[in-house]
Amino acid sequence: MTIADELQATIEQMVQPGKGILAADESHLTIAKRFAAIKVESTEENRRVYRALLFTTPGIEDYISGVIQFEETLDQTSDDDILLPEVLARRGIVPGIKVDKGKGPLALSPGDLITYGLDGLAERLQHCKSQGARFAKWRDVYQISGHNPTSLAISANAEMLARYSAVCQELGIVPIVEPEVLIDGDHSLARCAEVIEAVQKEIFHALHRHHVVLEHIILKPSMVLPGKDHSVRASPEEIAVATLRVFRRTVPAAVPGINFLSGGLSPEQATANLNAMNVGDAPWLLSFSYGRALQQPVLQAWQGKAENVGAAQQALLKRARLNGAAQRGEYQESMENTA
Ligand code: 13P
């Protein structure tokens, strides 16, 4: 199989109607925060137990086509001693890996952030591939303020994402391109639209410069939303209209799939917004790649207790099913009341 065939096969398995991606790639710091909220200590064993719970949930393969994992997970096993990436692969779910090394301040550019992780990337990717990963994820983060992100932050981050994507594709790994524009702040929906338009325009320019094949990437963007402290809320329909307007201007139709992040929305909001986007026609498959919006109810049900594993898995299956319906534009709020 050529590299291009390999990339195409992965895309076809990941981008399917009614299916999306589970983001389970929280760094040690982030998973410790999520566990602290339910008074569970973040030990290696607890992280293994929790991720095994997620990956062995009966029925999720009907709605989940890929899972993004953190490096540690690739070496961990289920209770019956099967490597976790293998657990996913056997169910037809594509195993993936987060490969960026997190973010920090962009020097000499107050309020801007930059993502780390290009050094040694090819070697790390090759190792992850030998452990079963067929796609990767890199997240750029943009904070909105009166003057951020600056044009410097927008071009520097786009360059990093494009270089990462090129390295992935050269090795036969599908890159998830994730520009996250944070929901924090009191900015309006219009300001968010302006930022996402500038960010995505620059990213696709950089991807082109670096010879990245657009048919073999998945975009994982933020929705166009008012900041969480803004005085006016927006309905799912308003969010869908604003998001699709920006995306039609900036994302070439060659991109097969757009899988949104949930970025701090509640599980119900994330599902309703995705559904509103899928009511009309779009040139790309619009789906989900949710972390918190899929996992919050699971953590709440689990509470770190073995006797709650069944209920926690039911909670995951429910959100996966409702988001699968939202991908098809078939979700209704009344479905929240069914198990
Ligand atoms: P959220 O859906 O919780 O934003 O997480 C998605 C993700 O992978 C962020 O990088």
Side-chain angles (χ1 to χ4, degrees), residues 97-101 116-117 121 124-125 128 136-138 164:
I97 177 75
K98 166 198 174 79
V99 289
D100 67 70
K101 292 282 184 192
Y116 312 121
L121 178 62
R124 284 197 287 126
L125 278 171
C128 294
K137 175 191 113 169
W138 178 289
Y164 140 83

Side-chain angles (χ1 to χ4, degrees), residues 133-202:
R134 291 169 54 200
F135 72 93
K137 175 191 113 169
W138 178 289
R139 171 176 176 254
D140 278 352
V141 187
Y142 306 84
Q143 292 185 136
I144 300 186
S145 75
H147 60 280
N148 297 104
T150 64
S151 59
L152 172 67
I154 290 174
S155 62
N157 277 292
E159 187 70 14
M160 304 290 266
L161 259 180
R163 286 181 59 194
Y164 140 83
S165 301
V167 176
C168 287
Q169 288 194 344
E170 193 161 76
L171 297 172
I173 292 178
V174 166
I176 290 192
V177 170
E178 181 180 2
E180 176 165 4
V181 175
L182 295 176
I183 197 174
D184 305 330
D186 60 3
H187 52 271
S188 65
L189 179 118
R191 171 77 177 128
C192 179
E194 176 183 273
V195 170
I196 293 186
E197 184 166 340
V199 162
Q200 291 185 173
K201 202 168 231 165
E202 191 73 23

Side-chain angles (χ1 to χ4, degrees), residues 14-336:
M14 292 180 71
V15 181
Q16 292 187 54
K19 294 190 183 184
I21 297 168
L22 164 65
D25 60 328
E26 297 80 7
S27 64
H28 288 330
L29 214 69
T30 305
I31 195 81
K33 267 194 271 175
R34 306 272 188 269
F35 278 6
I38 54 162
K39 302 196 169 52
V40 172
E41 197 189 339
S42 180
T43 60
E44 185 177 346
E45 175 60 7
N46 284 342
R47 294 191 294 270
R48 183 197 70 77
V49 166
Y50 175 62
R51 281 158 176 161
L53 172 166
L54 296 176
F55 300 0
T56 59
T57 298
I60 51 163
E61 64 275 15
D62 292 341
Y63 313 106
I64 302 287
S65 59
V67 173
I68 316 173
Q69 301 162 96
F70 192 65
E71 240 161 281
E72 170 188 73
T73 312
L74 300 184
D75 288 320
Q76 292 181 323
T77 55
S78 61
D79 295 343
D80 40 9
D81 225 22
I82 302 166
L83 283 163
L84 288 177
E86 179 62 21
V87 168
L88 295 172
R90 285 187 191 179
R91 308 180 68 186
I93 299 174
V94 185
I97 177 75
K98 166 198 174 79
V99 289
D100 67 70
K101 292 282 184 192
K103 61 178 179 356
L106 179 63
L108 302 182
S109 197
D112 284 330
L113 300 165
I114 191 83
T115 299
Y116 312 121
L118 283 180
D119 288 349
L121 178 62
E123 292 72 25
R124 284 197 287 126
L125 278 171
Q126 224 134 21
H127 182 60
C128 294
K129 192 176 183 189
S130 74
Q131 295 174 294
R134 291 169 54 200
F135 72 93
K137 175 191 113 169
W138 178 289
R139 171 176 176 254
D140 278 352
V141 187
Y142 306 84
Q143 292 185 136
I144 300 186
S145 75
H147 60 280
N148 297 104
T150 64
S151 59
L152 172 67
I154 290 174
S155 62
N157 277 292
E159 187 70 14
M160 304 290 266
L161 259 180
R163 286 181 59 194
Y164 140 83
S165 301
V167 176
C168 287
Q169 288 194 344
E170 193 161 76
L171 297 172
I173 292 178
V174 166
I176 290 192
V177 170
E178 181 180 2
E180 176 165 4
V181 175
L182 295 176
I183 197 174
D184 305 330
D186 60 3
H187 52 271
S188 65
L189 179 118
R191 171 77 177 128
C192 179
E194 176 183 273
V195 170
I196 293 186
E197 184 166 340
V199 162
Q200 291 185 173
K201 202 168 231 165
E202 191 73 23
I203 286 171
F204 282 97
H205 185 215
L207 291 172
H208 173 74
R209 263 198 324 271
H210 285 269
H211 315 298
V212 173
V213 178
L214 297 187
E215 287 81 354
H216 294 158
I217 70 164
I218 290 174
L219 181 67
K220 173 167 174 162
S222 299
M223 298 172 189
V224 174
L225 303 164
K228 71 173 192 298
D229 301 323
H230 188 63
S231 49
V232 187
R233 304 260 50 90
S235 68
E237 291 69 31
E238 288 166 328
I239 290 164
V241 167
T243 302
L244 292 175
R245 183 187 299 127
V246 168
F247 281 56
R248 285 204 180 88
R249 290 177 181 176
T250 54
V251 185
V255 173
I258 297 180
N259 290 60
F260 290 96
L261 59 92
S262 63
L265 293 172
S266 72
E268 295 78 11
Q269 285 170 332
T271 307
N273 292 353
L274 178 63
N275 188 69
M277 288 195 240
N278 278 304
V279 169
D281 280 334
W284 334 267
L285 190 107
L286 295 166
S287 191
F288 59 93
S289 175
Y290 294 160
R292 283 163 285 178
L294 282 168
Q295 292 187 56
Q296 247 168 28
V298 185
L299 289 162
Q300 281 308 319
W302 179 49
Q303 300 284 326
K305 298 194 171 89
E307 65 266 31
N308 294 338
V309 165
Q313 291 185 327
Q314 277 306 312
L316 177 62
L317 183 62
K318 175 177 174 180
R319 289 269 43 105
R321 183 167 39 80
L322 296 186
N323 284 306
Q327 193 297 309
R328 297 179 185 274
E330 293 170 359
Y331 164 80
Q332 285 170 2
E333 219 181 296
S334 58
M335 293 164 131
E336 294 289 346

